[in-house]
Amino acid sequence: MTRLFEVTQRDGAARLGKLSWRDEELTTPRSLESKEELHFLKELTIHKAEIDATVVAAQEKTSVEQIDADVVILAGATRFRDDPRGLTKALLGARKLANPDSALYVPALATPKNVSLLVYAGVDLVDSIMAEVKAREGYFFDADGERRFEEVSRRPCFCDACNGANVTELSFEHRVTLASDHNKKALKAELNKIAENIERGTLRELVEGRCRAAPTLTALLRLLDDEYNYFEQRSPIVRTATLLACSQESLNRPEIRRFGERVINRLQRRDGALLLLPCSARKPYSHSRSHRIILAHLDKLRQYLNEAIITSPIGVVPRSLEITYPASNYDIPVTGKWTCDERERVIGRLSQYLSTNAFESVVAHVSGPCRQICDAAAEPLGINVVHTVNDENILSSASLQRLHAVAQELIDACSPAWRDLRFDYMRDLADFQFGPHASEAIFPENPKIRGFFPTYYASDRGLRLATITGKYQTLALTIEGARRYLRACEGRYCVQIDDFEPKGTVFAIGVLNADPDIRPFDEVIVVNDRVIAVGRALMSGWEMQASKRGGAVALRHVEAR
Amino acid sequence: MKKQYEARRHLPRKSARDTSGRRAQSSERFAWAGWDLLNSNVVPSLTVILTTKGCSWARRDGCTMCGYTIDSNPDARGSDIQKQFHEVLAHYGKEFKIIKIFTSGSFLDQDEMPIDARDAILSELKGMPKVIVESRPEFVTPEICADITRTNEHIEVAIGLETSNDYIRNNYVNKGFSFRDFVSASEAAHANSFTVKAYLLLKPPFLTEREALEDALQSVRDAAPHADTLSLNLCNVQKGTLVETLWKKGLYRPPWLWSAVEVLRRTQETATVICDPIGGGRRRGPHNCGKCDREVVAEIKDFSLSQNSASFTASCTDQMLWEFVLEFEEFSYGAPLVP
């Protein structure tokens, strides 16, 4: 069992942690710098002393049972310096092999340039060996890359190692000494930056930036992105930070794919009329100027329509999910041009959306490339899309009038039932978070909805069932809501705990069993024979089961069972 | 660029173990002339490689770094071997002070080198100041040595001791004999007034640069009392070996030339240590940074003949890196820090 390492915060596979080490507490991710530290760790691997460190041979096959050690070392990792494929296999293999609350140490590989990717993949400890090797090979390092001494024509840096030194005039030996100090500091600075980004939940953005001008690192990121399950299992369901989709790799972010898959697999089937709208820069969409104008124009007709927004990189966002991550906070470079890749993905998502639902008619109030996308998705399915925008702006009065007329016509033709749009948000969010049919279990036919957009709450005969929370805009169940959900979906999104009355936080050590589908920040139900509680997960369900340390669920309400 | 180009080239399959020089090549045979030390004098030498059925140990098990067995011929009979030898002599003549006969196995193994052929070759060389043959220690018995003295007296038997450390020899080199075996063989050889040469391997697999350096230094100290000459072989990456597999996976790097210089410099007082850096400067052979390799290789060869450490004058910026590697390579847990 691990005793000395504890993960304190997560951002996908990356973690912040604490390692109690020779009477001091190190925060991770961290670079081991002194020979003394390296030696200390090495001795441990030999003597299995205080910290139980285990050397994992970086072999292709790593399918033996889990290693339960405080520090797991990816032995010989240096050999993957220019081998992103091998590195991907080895990193993920070691991470899967190691207990989730083991620190993963990758020796002699980290540079300021690649360390963000290593941490992104789940590495906790690195060292400054490569930074020193590179100094002796004649390189200055910073996060953007490396430069040979000869290429340094101006003062490279203002860190205190470089302070005042005129690099160009120094002898090779002096430059090595300086660069070795500088490189170590650059690595340290980068690690601090990484830790900050993990805190903010923006490590992915940093990583995408770092690999931009480095083909091996870009290859590494792409190969890591192929490991969807590994990262999805570790990705939080919400973030407060804005998802910035600035590169081709952004399209492959696990939360984007997960969102798309949940829209298809979890939401209730819809019928009637579908209105497709373009996305907007301002989120949630309904707060944007364009959406406010269009929606005001439709006014009461909205209650008979289903709305969905076409957007890159997410694909299709049903109106009701506009308030949840990543649809609620993402940003992309807007040029009015779509890359083939973006087009194809959105077409794919839209055609899936159209074929899983049973819309009788589809109206598209979109212009330009978006228009072709709608047709490309609908045509193969034999669906005819009615366009209400010709060559004009989507806000032109002619197009808006056309939209109103078409919508009125459709509604008259198929006379769909009136819906409370506020309930749409709650129902879809329930299914999106808790799986198919969750909303049927939690809510009655027509619950009473109150509150202001988007923090609605629903009740049934005076009993509060669920609320959309303010900060993350997830659907939080009340105990009553949880009871109803449990009746239909026993075990799902549930954390079984030992026989005690939980207060505040449930720790991983007290968890007996947890639904492996639980992700960080999921709303979960905590149960044992005595009580039922609801709260927010702090780690993934599989991690709660495997971990012995750290908080598992932050509780909201506890009640006797 | 040059380094990359060289990386794509492999070492010649049949490499000289002692001295390279002019090379004559017919379909199956190799031989070349060079210079070697004889009683502190530099004299002309001839190296002859004979194709036999191959090393008995390699056929049974094999060493982790040795790829010479690739060139053996399972059907080679005594008469074939004699024929090869005569062809070489016909080409080069006998105007040498030293003749080295290498079979890529054990010359004293009667299964590999039939007695008729062995005796014929040795008696042909009667009068040569020194004839060097190679053998594993199990064939260097008092009986065989006594047997051979009858045909030729000036024999030097060269034994691949590799290291004096039994653990390293058996686990990392997979040599299959002990230091004790070597000492017995050496005693048997000396008892018949043969001279003995011991090959030491700088950097067997699974050792860091520092461990390798220290192992070589210790081996020189241990082997010196039992050998007249020590030959430091800088491990290179030969085809079809375990070392090659490790190298391809990035888990092995041939020794730095600086390490060889260090061993030679520090053992100068202890013993006569010679060294021919086969494949020096290549990716598969012992190398430094690429800039200084040629110069250092030349100095090592020079030292082998002069035994004077004044031969070593080269210096290069990569020495700082080599020193760092010596100090820190153990912390990579198995992979060389620098390719």
Side-chain angles (χ1 to χ4, degrees):
Chain A
M1 172 180 157
T2 58
R3 292 150 298 154
L4 302 165
F5 182 67
E6 181 177 333
V7 179
T8 53
Q9 206 172 339
R10 295 163 182 78
D11 180 14
R15 305 104 64 83
L16 296 182
K18 291 186 294 193
L19 181 68
S20 314
W21 167 286
R22 302 191 297 176
D23 304 328
E24 41 175 340
E25 200 162 75
L26 304 187
T27 54
T28 65
R30 182 189 172 88
S31 154
L32 305 177
E33 285 197 345
S34 66
K35 197 173 176 184
E36 206 191 343
E37 283 180 319
L38 294 168
H39 215 85
F40 181 66
L41 191 63
K42 175 136 197 175
E43 290 297 302
L44 292 171
T45 65
I46 297 161
H47 298 121
K48 304 265 180 209
E50 191 184 356
I51 297 183
D52 179 17
T54 311
V55 182
V56 178
Q59 290 303 329
E60 280 70 17
K61 284 179 197 146
T62 45
S63 56
V64 286
E65 62 185 87
Q66 286 225 317
I67 294 177
D68 204 8
D70 281 291
V71 181
V72 169
I73 301 173
L74 185 67
T78 320
R79 69 193 177 108
F80 300 119
R81 209 172 350 193
D82 300 314
D83 175 10
R85 258 178 258 213
L87 184 57
T88 305
K89 265 189 190 170
L91 282 177
L92 270 50
R95 194 64 273 181
K96 287 176 195 164
L97 189 65
N99 218 37
D101 42 17
S102 303
L104 178 61
Y105 169 38
V106 170
L109 186 64
T111 61
K113 206 161 110 182
N114 68 17
V115 69
S116 55
L117 259 143
L118 296 180
V119 174
Y120 176 75
V123 171
D124 304 292
L125 288 169
V126 295
D127 55 46
S128 58
I129 291 179
M130 217 19 82
E132 298 217 42
V133 165
K134 283 290 177 184
R136 282 158 181 82
E137 286 179 343
Y139 289 99
F140 270 108
F141 255 125
D142 49 41
D144 310 322
E146 53 195 43
R147 274 173 302 162
R148 291 203 62 86
F149 290 170
E150 302 87 275
E151 293 162 359
V152 178
S153 57
R154 292 176 182 79
R155 197 167 145 188
C157 158
F158 291 82
C159 76
D160 61 355
C162 303
N163 201 11
N166 191 348
V167 179
T168 44
E169 284 169 10
L170 295 176
S171 69
F172 184 84
E173 282 72 19
H174 276 106
R175 275 190 281 180
V176 165
T177 321
L178 188 144
S180 135
D181 200 9
H182 162 88
N183 287 356
K184 280 203 259 185
K185 289 202 161 85
L187 181 60
K188 227 171 171 172
E190 179 71 358
L191 280 163
N192 275 348
K193 195 162 200 170
I194 289 167
E196 271 179 19
N197 278 277
I198 295 175
E199 275 166 17
R200 288 203 304 265
T202 51
L203 183 61
R204 173 73 188 206
E205 278 76 13
L206 179 76
V207 162
E208 285 183 15
R210 288 293 180 251
C211 71
R212 211 61 293 144
T216 356
L217 293 182
T218 307
L220 179 58
L221 181 59
R222 289 185 187 170
L223 290 163
L224 289 173
D225 280 340
D226 285 346
E227 303 287 337
Y228 170 68
N229 288 333
Y230 174 84
F231 286 97
E232 193 279 324
Q233 282 166 6
R234 289 161 173 81
S235 289
I237 62 152
V238 289
R239 277 193 169 103
T240 46
T242 301
L243 182 154
L244 304 176
C246 297
S247 72
Q248 189 197 324
E249 288 73 34
S250 313
L251 305 180
N252 296 323
R253 288 180 64 147
E255 54 263 69
I256 287 174
R257 179 165 158 197
R258 176 167 65 196
F259 183 92
E261 288 181 359
R262 286 191 176 188
V263 166
I264 303 301
N265 300 330
R266 292 193 163 188
L267 297 196
Q268 270 183 20
R269 302 278 173 274
R270 296 299 189 83
D271 49 22
L274 171 70
L275 170 61
L276 294 172
L277 293 170
C279 62
S280 62
R282 180 152 178 196
K283 313 287 181 316
Y285 306 119
S286 41
H287 280 184
S288 69
R289 180 173 168 267
S290 59
H291 278 237
R292 272 185 296 145
I293 293 174
I294 295 169
L295 299 183
H297 211 83
L298 285 169
D299 194 29
K300 290 216 162 58
L301 292 180
R302 283 188 71 201
Q303 294 163 345
Y304 303 96
L305 290 171
N306 296 291
E307 294 164 24
I309 291 92
I310 308 286
T311 179
S312 172
I314 301 179
V316 179
V317 180
R319 169 69 72 194
S320 50
L321 293 182
E322 69 175 351
I323 55 168
T324 196
Y325 181 81
S328 59
N329 43 341
Y330 70 95
D331 208 352
I332 50 166
V334 177
T335 57
K337 291 173 192 157
W338 293 51
T339 66
C340 293
D341 211 13
E342 284 177 307
R343 259 178 59 98
E344 243 162 65
R345 275 161 206 259
V346 176
I347 291 172
R349 284 288 174 218
L350 182 57
S351 90
Q352 269 183 317
Y353 185 68
L354 293 176
S355 51
T356 41
N357 290 285
F359 299 114
E360 284 144 43
S361 43
V362 180
V363 185
H365 192 72
V366 298
S367 61
C370 224
R371 202 184 149 114
Q372 292 149 22
I373 286 170
C374 293
D375 289 335
E379 255 166 41
L381 299 168
I383 295 171
N384 183 35
V385 178
V386 182
H387 288 283
T388 50
V389 183
N390 293 333
D391 287 335
E392 62 230 302
N393 191 286
I394 53 162
L395 298 181
S396 68
S397 55
S399 71
L400 287 172
Q401 275 166 20
R402 220 174 290 132
L403 171 64
H404 192 276
V406 169
Q408 186 70 60
E409 214 172 282
L410 288 175
I411 291 159
D412 291 345
C414 59
S415 59
W418 171 90
R419 297 191 329 275
D420 182 347
L421 291 179
R422 296 173 305 172
F423 184 42
D424 262 17
Y425 285 96
M426 304 205 75
R427 185 180 51 192
D428 282 355
L429 210 46
D431 290 330
F432 184 80
Q433 273 176 232
F434 297 105
H437 311 300
S439 60
E440 292 157 34
I442 298 165
F443 302 114
E445 193 75 16
N446 277 308
K448 192 159 186 64
I449 311 286
R450 313 185 78 158
F452 296 96
F453 177 88
T455 52
Y456 300 126
Y457 55 92
S459 39
D460 182 24
R461 283 166 291 173
L463 282 174
R464 178 86 62 98
L465 297 173
T467 311
I468 297 176
T469 61
K471 190 176 178 192
Y472 296 112
Q473 288 160 17
T474 53
L475 186 84
L477 298 179
T478 61
I479 298 286
E480 176 59 23
R483 283 185 209 278
R484 293 184 183 203
Y485 176 70
L486 275 189
R487 249 172 260 147
C489 314
E490 181 71 49
R492 301 215 61 198
Y493 287 90
C494 268
V495 178
Q496 287 273 350
I497 55 167
D498 227 338
D499 188 33
F500 63 91
E501 254 174 67
K503 278 195 198 81
T505 303
V506 170
F507 288 91
I509 187 95
V511 173
L512 295 179
N513 210 348
D515 182 0
D517 279 348
I518 295 171
R519 300 288 171 258
F521 296 106
D522 251 329
E523 295 293 333
V524 295
I525 300 154
V526 177
V527 286
N528 62 15
D529 291 342
R530 283 199 265 170
V531 294
I532 176 166
V534 288
R536 185 162 7 91
L538 300 175
M539 54 171 76
S540 295
W542 61 270
E543 198 175 348
M544 292 178 194
Q545 287 189 32
S547 287
K548 297 281 185 291
R549 309 201 70 190
V553 184
L555 296 176
R556 274 185 222 285
H557 310 292
V558 187
E559 239 175 58
R561 198 160 181 175
Chain B
M1 270 318 281
K2 184 157 183 245
K3 218 170 154 188
Q4 282 175 359
Y5 168 67
E6 282 187 351
R8 266 182 260 121
R9 293 173 54 192
H10 299 307
L11 285 176
R13 269 205 186 165
K14 182 70 86 177
S15 327
R17 290 212 201 156
D18 253 312
T19 298
S20 57
R22 278 183 299 132
R23 170 171 292 173
Q25 184 179 342
S26 61
S27 57
E28 279 189 303
R29 289 156 282 290
F30 289 99
W32 59 90
W35 299 93
D36 267 286
L37 267 186
L38 179 63
N39 304 327
S40 309
N41 298 316
V42 177
V43 298
S45 70
L46 178 68
T47 306
V48 185
I49 306 274
L50 299 177
T51 303
T52 64
K53 65 200 279 187
C55 172
S56 59
W57 177 250
R59 274 178 282 141
R60 212 142 50 84
D61 199 331
C63 301
T64 55
M65 76 306 181
C66 175
Y68 291 123
T69 127
I70 283 180
D71 299 306
S72 62
N73 171 12
D75 303 322
R77 285 169 299 141
S79 53
D80 300 329
I81 300 171
Q82 280 186 54
K83 193 165 153 249
Q84 294 171 33
F85 180 71
H86 284 119
E87 277 175 24
V88 170
L89 278 200
H91 189 273
Y92 283 96
K94 284 199 210 168
E95 296 305 308
F96 298 97
K97 297 273 186 256
I98 297 179
I99 288 206
K100 301 185 245 183
I101 305 169
F102 298 157
T103 65
S104 303
S106 294
F107 187 83
L108 304 187
D109 175 4
Q110 293 165 8
D111 182 47
E112 186 188 335
M113 175 65 69
I115 298 184
D116 296 347
R118 182 191 79 191
D119 288 349
I121 290 170
L122 289 182
S123 46
E124 176 98 35
L125 294 174
K126 223 172 167 99
M128 185 67 61
K130 191 183 264 188
V131 178
I132 304 180
V133 297
E134 294 177 330
S135 177
R136 285 177 59 85
E138 61 259 39
F139 306 112
V140 192
T141 60
E143 298 76 36
I144 295 179
C145 291
D147 216 21
I148 288 174
T149 339
R150 267 181 268 132
T151 45
N152 197 319
E153 290 133 24
H154 305 288
I155 302 281
E156 176 161 290
V157 55
I159 301 173
L161 172 65
E162 316 305 356
T163 163
S164 63
N165 182 318
D166 282 344
Y167 186 85
I168 294 175
R169 189 180 330 91
N170 286 324
N171 292 287
Y172 300 162
V173 187
N174 195 35
K175 197 79 187 183
F177 65 79
S178 67
F179 186 63
R180 193 57 244 160
D181 296 334
F182 162 75
V183 173
S184 310
S186 157
E187 281 162 1
H190 280 134
N192 288 283
S193 60
F194 291 2
T195 51
V196 173
K197 183 198 273 184
Y199 293 123
L200 297 177
L201 182 68
L202 179 64
K203 206 169 179 193
F206 310 114
L207 294 184
T208 63
E209 195 73 22
R210 170 177 288 280
E211 287 166 339
L213 176 63
E214 282 169 0
D215 174 62
L217 289 170
Q218 187 58 42
S219 297
V220 171
R221 274 177 236 132
D222 294 338
H226 308 282
D228 306 87
T229 313
L230 296 172
S231 172
L232 187 69
N233 287 353
L234 312 186
C235 191
N236 53 51
V237 180
Q238 300 179 2
K239 289 212 151 201
T241 58
L242 176 72
V243 164
E244 189 190 40
T245 309
L246 293 170
W247 176 73
K248 282 187 174 164
K249 288 188 172 214
L251 292 173
Y252 181 77
R253 180 205 192 276
W256 287 71
L257 292 165
W258 293 126
S259 298
V261 170
E262 187 74 7
V263 174
L264 297 174
R265 211 202 285 263
R266 281 168 61 179
T267 55
Q268 205 199 351
E269 307 295 315
T270 322
T272 305
V273 185
I274 59 171
C275 176
D276 179 32
I278 304 299
R282 303 236 175 115
R283 284 288 293 266
R284 278 178 178 255
H287 59 272
N288 287 346
C289 68
K291 281 180 286 180
C292 58
D293 296 50
R294 195 182 286 260
E295 191 187 352
V296 179
V297 164
E299 288 183 1
I300 290 173
K301 287 183 179 172
D302 204 43
F303 174 87
S304 291
L305 297 179
S306 69
Q307 291 294 307
N308 182 353
S309 62
S311 301
F312 298 124
T313 56
S315 79
C316 178
T317 52
D318 70 348
Q319 275 164 301
M320 289 179 87
L321 182 57
W322 169 71
E323 281 162 15
F324 183 83
V325 165
L326 283 183
E327 203 177 335
F328 282 91
E329 197 164 71
E330 61 173 306
F331 301 115
S332 78
Y333 298 85
L337 289 182
V338 182

